[in-house]
């Protein structure tokens, strides 16, 4: 089985590819694409799916903790701009933080054993009940 790492930032994707190549992260594919474009074809056969992966903090932490590469998980720190107290408070209905609904779609498609979600503290009052 292989992992899947996704992000929109070209730099982050280069870092992820380098970490996969040097064995620092579990073997897998890095896709530089919007989460909306992910479907069954990209998710099939994946143990770990890291959405909004950045430079790989979640999978790196799992590796350092000694978790096996076939640990069934979807991770993601979906955008916080519409949730943050520095933002306008659009919440999960906003165009950026609303990507949570796409993350939920992926979780439902993939059916992992575990899901790890990261976001700002303001999520407590701006949508945690929905998450």
């Amino acid at each position: 089985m292989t992992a899947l790492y996704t992000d929109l930032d070209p730099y982050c994707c280069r870092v992820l590819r380098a970490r996969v190549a040097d064995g620092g992260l579990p073997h897998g594919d890095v896709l530089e694409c919007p989460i909306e474009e992910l479907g069954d074809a990209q998710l099939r056969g994946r143990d770990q799916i890291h959405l909004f992966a950045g430079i790989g903090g979640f999978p790196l932490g799992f590796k350092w903790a000694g978790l096996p590469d076939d640990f069934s998980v979807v991770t993601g720190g979906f955008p916080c701009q519409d949730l943050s107290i520095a933002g306008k408070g659009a919440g999960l209905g906003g165009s950026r933080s609303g990507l949570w609904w796409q993350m939920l779609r992926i979780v439902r498609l993939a059916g992992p054993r575990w899901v790890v979600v990261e976001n700002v503290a303001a999520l407590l009052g701006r949508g945690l009940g929905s998450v």
Side-chain angles (χ1 to χ4, degrees):
M1 298 287 185
T2 61
L4 177 66
Y5 308 90
T6 69
D7 205 280
L8 288 178
D9 186 280
Y11 171 77
C12 290
C13 289
R14 283 194 304 275
V15 170
L16 289 166
R17 287 183 186 103
R19 285 188 170 168
V20 169
D22 70 16
L25 292 178
H27 173 73
D29 300 310
V30 177
L31 296 180
E32 186 178 325
C33 72
I35 189 172
E36 298 92 337
E37 294 179 9
L38 297 176
D40 284 331
Q42 293 87 6
L43 304 175
R44 194 173 303 116
R46 309 292 183 161
D47 290 309
Q48 295 187 16
I49 299 170
H50 302 286
L51 307 169
F52 314 104
I55 59 171
F58 279 128
L60 186 61
F62 294 155
K63 191 167 183 87
W64 287 356
L67 294 173
D69 288 352
D70 63 352
F71 172 62
S72 174
V73 66
V74 171
T75 69
F78 63 96
C80 68
Q81 293 92 332
D82 300 315
L83 300 169
S84 171
I85 59 171
K88 295 184 180 183
L92 295 176
S95 63
R96 294 170 289 186
S97 297
L99 289 173
W100 154 252
W101 303 110
Q102 288 295 319
M103 184 173 173
L104 179 59
R105 179 182 65 82
I106 298 302
V107 167
R108 287 178 172 155
L109 283 172
R113 180 172 179 149
W114 298 97
V115 177
V116 178
V117 178
E118 178 276 329
N119 215 285
V120 295
L123 176 62
L124 293 169
R126 294 184 175 173
L128 184 61
S130 296
V131 172

